[in-house]
Amino acid sequence: MNDLSNNLDDNYFMRPTYIQGIGNIYPIKYREYTKFKQLADTFIVDDLTNITNKGRIQFQEKQKQGLISRAEKYKPKHYDCLYDWLIETTNNINEARKSLVNQKLYLSKIDKQDLINYKQDKEFREVIDYLTNDNLDLPTNGVYDLFKMLLKNDVILANGVFNILDENKNKVGEINRNNFELFRTVVMQNNLLYKPVIGYDLNSNKMIQQALKTKNKNNGSFSIETMLAVVSITRHLSDAELQDYTYYRLTYDFKVISKMHFNNLSFICSALGGETDGIFHLSEEI
C-alpha cells in the first residue's frame, strides 16, 4: 500500500513517485505541460459523475439544436467504474485510427482521375485532401500519449489491461482496474490537477459556470506568464532551467515568493505607520 503523504517532498524536488506494479510516475515539466494538460483534461481529471453529466449536457445541446439523430450517441451510458470508461474510450480511438488507415489505403489504390472527379464534390474535397496528404501524420491515441509522458515508457492496451513496455518491448508493469484510481490520484496530486465542477444538466451547468466565472473574477487571478516571470527573476533561472521545472514546483515557489513579498512590504508599511491596503500582490496582472 502506497502512502501518498510521503510524496509531498518528492513533488517539490520534482522526483517521480513509485507505485508497485506500475513503476515510476513522473511529474510533468513545464515544457510539456500544455500538451499534458489537454490530454489530462480529456482522460484523467473527470470522475464517473462528470463524464455522465457531460454526456447528458451534450445530449441536451444536440436536442436543442434539433440534431436528434446525432444526439443519440451522447446519451449517458452506465459504467461500473472510471476504468471501464477509459478502456472503451481507448478502444474507440484505436478503431477510429484503423478506419482512417484503411481509408488512406483505399484512396491510394484509386485511379488519380477518379480522385479528381471525386474532389469536384465539395462534400468530399476536404476529406480526400486530408486522407491523401502524405506529409500528414495520422493522429495518435491520446491515451497512449498521456501514459508515455507520465511513465516514460510505451503503453499498449491488451485484454483489458494497459501493459507498460520497456525499450525492448518487455512488459515491466501494468495499469489495471485495481490500480488505476491510485495512478490517477498520484497524477493529479503531482501536477496540481483538480476535478472540474460540472452541472447535472444543461441549465444547472450554465449557472455553475457563470458562478465560477464571477468568483474567479472577484478573487483575482494570475497568468502563467506572471508566474514564470516571478519565479525566474527571483530564482535567477535561465529559460531552459525554467522549462525543466515542474508545474507543481513553479506554483509552489510562486506562492511562497508572493507571500514573502507581501509580508515584507506589510512589515515596512506598518513600521512606518502606513496602510497596507495599497500593496499589490505579485499575482496581479501587468
Side-chain angles (χ1 to χ4, degrees), residues 32-279:
E32 296 182 304
Y33 195 79
T34 299
K35 180 182 178 181
F36 163 76
K37 186 68 164 56
Q38 292 172 344
L39 293 171
D41 284 347
T42 304
F43 302 116
I44 287 287
V45 299
D46 285 313
D47 61 8
L48 209 52
T49 300
N50 271 9
I51 288 168
T52 302
N53 289 347
K54 281 184 174 180
R56 185 182 297 108
I57 291 167
Q58 288 178 312
F59 177 70
Q60 293 173 348
E61 286 176 337
K62 297 301 180 185
Q63 281 187 316
K64 192 174 181 180
Q65 296 167 9
L67 304 174
I68 304 301
S69 60
R70 295 185 184 181
E72 290 301 313
K73 73 175 184 178
Y74 292 105
K75 271 190 175 180
K77 295 179 63 175
H78 172 74
Y79 299 97
D80 290 333
C81 63
L82 188 59
Y83 185 77
D84 289 345
W85 170 83
L86 186 64
I87 291 291
E88 181 178 291
T89 300
T90 305
N91 283 327
N92 288 343
I93 295 173
N94 285 337
E95 288 302 315
R97 291 188 75 250
K98 287 180 184 177
S99 175
L100 195 55
V101 170
N102 290 335
Q103 290 176 59
K104 285 180 72 71
L105 289 173
Y106 172 74
L107 287 176
S108 69
K109 298 175 182 178
I110 292 180
D111 184 80
K112 289 186 177 180
Q113 184 58 49
D114 288 337
L115 276 180
I116 293 173
N117 294 336
Y118 281 134
K119 289 175 70 172
Q120 300 305 311
D121 189 329
K122 293 181 178 180
E123 183 177 350
F124 298 112
R125 184 180 303 159
E126 290 186 4
V127 176
I128 292 175
D129 284 342
Y130 173 78
L131 292 172
T132 55
N133 185 351
D134 293 332
N135 296 321
L136 185 69
D137 292 331
L138 287 171
T140 58
N141 189 317
V143 179
Y144 294 161
D145 292 341
L146 177 63
F147 284 161
K148 186 165 186 175
M149 294 177 77
L150 292 162
L151 302 169
K152 308 303 182 189
N153 281 310
D154 287 326
V155 174
I156 190 74
L157 177 63
N159 300 318
V161 171
F162 292 99
N163 294 303
I164 304 168
L165 310 177
D166 65 14
E167 58 185 10
N168 297 316
K169 303 303 178 184
N170 296 317
K171 181 177 177 180
V172 293
E174 67 179 46
I175 296 173
N176 54 46
R177 182 188 295 270
N178 296 322
N179 63 21
F180 174 70
E181 283 298 336
L182 177 59
F183 169 81
R184 176 173 175 264
T185 298
V186 169
V187 171
M188 293 183 70
Q189 177 180 286
N190 287 2
N191 299 285
L192 298 179
L193 299 174
Y194 302 95
K195 184 187 79 170
V197 181
I198 305 293
Y200 177 82
D201 55 19
L202 188 59
N203 291 331
S204 64
N205 189 58
K206 283 184 178 179
M207 290 187 289
I208 288 173
Q209 299 310 315
Q210 184 59 48
L212 290 173
K213 185 177 179 180
T214 302
K215 180 181 178 183
N216 290 335
K217 184 177 180 181
N218 292 337
N219 289 345
S221 61
F222 58 89
S223 66
I224 186 65
E225 290 86 355
T226 302
M227 185 166 70
L228 291 168
V230 169
V231 174
S232 65
I233 292 170
T234 307
R235 299 289 192 222
H236 306 291
L237 301 173
S238 68
D239 288 351
E241 290 172 323
L242 190 64
Q243 291 190 64
D244 280 334
Y245 262 42
T246 62
Y247 187 74
Y248 184 103
R249 176 67 178 268
L250 279 170
T251 303
Y252 196 98
D253 280 4
F254 173 76
K255 289 184 176 180
V256 171
I257 293 167
S258 296
K259 286 183 179 180
M260 289 171 62
H261 166 82
F262 182 77
N263 289 343
N264 288 340
L265 290 184
S266 295
F267 176 79
I268 293 171
C269 288
S270 297
L272 297 175
E275 298 291 333
T276 60
D277 293 342
I279 298 176

